[in-house]
Amino acid sequence: MGPLSPTRTMRLWGPRSLGVALGVFMTIGFALQLWGGPFQRRLPGLQLRQPWVPSRGPAVPSCPPRQRLVFLKTHKSGSSSVLSLLHRYGDRHGLRFALPARYQFGYPRLFQASRVKGYHPEGGGTQPPFDILCHHMRFNLKEVLQVMPSDSFFFSIVRDPAALARSAFSYYKSTSSAFRKAPSLAAFLANPRAFYRPGARGDHYARNLLWFDFGLPFPPEMRTKRGNPHPPRDLNPPKLHVLPSGAGPRVHTLDPNAVFHPAPTAADGHSQTSSPITLDLGSSSFIQWSLAWLDSVFDLVLVAEYFDESLVLLADALCWRLDDVVGFMHNAQAGSAQGTSAGSDGGLMAEKKHLTSRARAWNNLDWALYVHFNHSLWARIKQYGQSRLESAVAELRARREALAKHCLVGGEALDPKYITDQRFRPFQFGSGKVLGYVLQSGLSLHDQKECELLATPELQYKDKLDAKQFPPTVTLPLKTSRLFSP
């Protein structure tokens, strides 16, 4: 791989070293919170580029596109839609994917370079380098850097743990022993330790799934089999109002103050964002160290609740055209976008808020990740320019809507019962139906090909890339009749 770039040197401080490092840093006390030197957030990724210029044709950035990418595909966070973009971009530009033998890199085990198909370290640099690593894994930086260059663009996506818990409970109910034993998500969150056992099969899906996917170690009290006999207490968490993302036009003006409304604290007399991350942990420095380490590794973390805004920032950071991040949603469950409206029964609203609060408290490490990266997203939005972002988001949504009307029957995702073409039928798993797409008839050959790429689910597209990179070898039979004839 050659020498590591200075900006990536911090990456060698893997999360497995956090436990040892924590003991040292705790003796230094609050010096950790200064985050100077190598722990400081890297700023090069925040540099602004020329604004998008709305046009009838594709917008062409004035900088070279970045094409060495590492995407940590987190679970139930909209990551399949991002994966679809990467599949199409890499396929179109002839980039080489680091592919798993099947569909995941040995998950839930930590990523190992040996699981990459076609990875031969003994080749001595003669093999073509990989350009994109993007399929499900549990992040393991040391092993990732065996496969990908240290100057690759690292990014991921997070989701509000309350929304993630609803999706995970439906999708992984048959996989997680904790979810399988619980009659409902409400019953599980009312007394999670009645169902959850750390280390039980599939139970990583039931608590702090994002933290697990990022490959971070857990505080000692969470690593014990018995754990804390009592669920985390909700110690007056801040009033955090997260606006819904939605695929339609936004009626609210983008404003970071509309996302976070922290309650004033008595300590300083002004608003200060806190979160349930310290609930019964006694290890806030451990969490802050982990978040600082992630900041040193990842160039950008998208936020599912602001998916389109995140895509615009991603295109800018990668110096891609806006069209490169226009695509359809994938692996969405039927009813997943439905919520309780403001005019609904007040009791249902109160129950939903109660479940949201409990889900965030139970998944306190994930909540820490979400709050942290939601703030960092808005910091990027501020530097990018809010009015500029709104214009780009509007253009992205207009292009997506035009593609959907042109390519898709009904202009939207459909129940899988209507999808007879197996090339476009998504893998069905969990208790909810996973939606997919049916293409319009009568498309031109060019449009047919483009629409097919947009509608292809992740598993089928992975198989397509696999066949392209590793074409089956055909051995022709020898014509031996003449050799043995007199």
Side-chain angles (χ1 to χ4, degrees):
M1 300 301 300
L4 298 181
S5 60
T7 59
R8 300 301 188 197
T9 301
M10 180 56 186
R11 288 183 171 171
L12 293 180
W13 288 76
R16 298 300 111 189
S17 303
L18 291 180
V20 176
L22 177 61
V24 177
F25 291 143
M26 287 293 285
T27 63
I28 306 174
F30 291 100
L32 273 173
Q33 301 181 24
L34 298 178
W35 298 119
F39 300 102
Q40 194 172 16
R41 180 176 175 82
R42 295 179 296 107
L43 296 179
L46 300 181
Q47 293 176 355
L48 300 182
R49 300 182 174 92
Q50 294 184 358
W52 292 109
V53 180
S55 63
R56 294 183 182 273
V60 181
S62 60
C63 45
R66 300 194 63 172
Q67 296 184 335
R68 294 287 177 85
L69 312 172
V70 175
F71 174 57
L72 174 59
K73 187 179 185 296
T74 53
H75 287 79
K76 312 314 298 174
S77 300
S79 61
S80 293
S81 302
V82 180
L83 184 68
S84 176
L85 302 175
L86 297 176
H87 278 167
R88 288 187 291 111
Y89 183 91
D91 191 15
R92 183 179 296 115
H93 290 84
L95 303 182
R96 189 166 184 252
F97 287 82
L99 297 172
R102 298 194 67 183
Y103 300 106
Q104 300 183 358
F105 290 107
Y107 188 89
R109 296 181 180 89
L110 287 166
F111 173 82
Q112 296 293 321
S114 59
R115 292 187 176 273
V116 175
K117 191 172 182 179
Y119 172 69
H120 303 294
E122 67 279 1
T126 58
Q127 62 178 358
F130 293 107
D131 299 301
I132 301 178
L133 174 64
C134 59
H135 293 86
H136 270 312
M137 63 174 164
R138 189 180 182 202
F139 192 66
N140 183 359
L141 178 61
K142 181 180 178 182
E143 289 291 313
V144 168
L145 291 177
Q146 298 297 316
V147 178
M148 298 298 297
S150 62
D151 62 350
S152 299
F153 186 91
F154 282 62
F155 69 110
S156 187
I157 185 169
V158 296
R159 185 182 186 184
D160 185 332
L164 191 153
R166 296 184 184 97
S167 180
F169 186 84
S170 171
Y171 199 79
Y172 296 115
K173 187 167 177 58
S174 63
T175 305
S176 167
S177 62
F179 287 161
R180 188 166 55 248
K181 291 181 288 187
S184 65
L185 179 61
F188 174 79
L189 292 175
N191 187 15
R193 295 192 184 278
F195 310 100
Y196 174 81
R197 293 293 181 270
R201 183 177 179 84
D203 275 7
H204 61 281
Y205 293 117
R207 189 180 192 192
N208 293 314
L209 180 55
L210 290 173
W211 192 273
F212 183 88
D213 284 354
F214 274 96
L216 296 169
F218 287 81
E221 57 271 32
M222 284 190 172
R223 292 198 294 265
T224 59
K225 281 287 184 179
R226 294 184 179 180
N228 192 324
H230 303 289
R233 292 176 288 110
D234 194 342
L235 302 179
N236 299 318
K239 299 176 181 178
L240 304 182
H241 304 290
V242 181
L243 299 178
S245 175
R250 184 182 301 283
V251 296
H252 303 284
T253 301
L254 293 176
D255 181 3
N257 294 323
V259 182
F260 292 101
H261 294 290
T265 61
D268 53 11
H270 63 275
S271 295
Q272 178 181 353
T273 300
S274 57
S275 72
I277 62 177
T278 57
L279 300 180
D280 286 1
L281 287 180
S283 54
S284 60
S285 294
F286 178 94
I287 295 171
Q288 293 301 318
W289 202 103
S290 301
L291 296 176
W293 182 81
L294 291 179
D295 279 340
S296 75
V297 173
F298 287 88
D299 298 275
L300 175 66
V301 175
L302 316 181
V303 175
E305 279 70 25
Y306 289 92
F307 188 75
D308 292 341
E309 293 82 356
S310 295
L311 289 182
V312 170
L313 295 178
L314 177 65
D316 181 67
L318 296 178
C319 214
W320 287 8
R321 302 174 307 155
L322 188 61
D323 281 336
D324 291 328
V325 295
V326 176
F328 301 151
M329 299 300 291
H330 282 270
N331 209 34
Q333 297 181 75
S336 60
Q338 297 176 356
T340 308
S341 65
S344 299
D345 181 78
L348 292 177
M349 284 293 294
E351 181 181 358
K352 182 179 179 181
K353 290 181 179 179
H354 189 58
L355 288 178
T356 294
S357 178
R358 283 185 169 181
R360 290 172 176 173
W362 172 245
N363 297 283
N364 46 4
L365 299 179
D366 279 6
W367 182 236
L369 283 174
Y370 182 78
V371 169
H372 179 78
F373 288 121
N374 205 329
H375 272 302
S376 68
L377 179 80
W378 282 102
R380 295 184 80 111
I381 289 175
K382 183 178 180 180
Q383 294 203 24
Y384 185 92
Q386 185 167 307
S387 61
R388 175 187 170 203
L389 181 77
E390 289 175 342
S391 176
V393 167
E395 185 176 357
L396 182 149
R397 290 174 176 167
R399 295 185 188 186
R400 179 193 293 142
E401 183 178 0
L403 279 173
K405 288 181 178 179
H406 182 68
C407 292
L408 306 176
V409 170
E412 62 182 0
L414 300 177
D415 188 290
K417 68 181 180 182
Y418 298 112
I419 306 173
T420 57
D421 192 332
Q422 294 302 311
R423 295 177 301 163
F424 308 119
R425 182 180 173 84
F427 176 63
Q428 299 299 310
F429 190 78
S431 58
K433 296 180 180 180
V434 180
L435 304 178
Y437 300 103
V438 177
L439 298 188
Q440 296 271 21
S441 59
L443 296 170
S444 68
L445 289 178
H446 176 271
D447 289 356
Q448 177 78 21
K449 180 180 178 181
E450 291 299 315
C451 293
E452 285 180 358
L453 297 182
L454 285 162
T456 301
E458 60 179 288
L459 301 190
Q460 288 91 322
Y461 213 132
K462 186 269 175 185
D463 289 340
K464 176 180 182 294
L465 295 172
D466 201 312
K468 182 179 180 180
Q469 285 187 198
F470 305 97
T473 57
V474 179
T475 303
L476 297 177
L478 293 176
K479 295 182 178 180
T480 59
S481 57
R482 292 187 179 181
L483 295 176
F484 294 98
S485 60

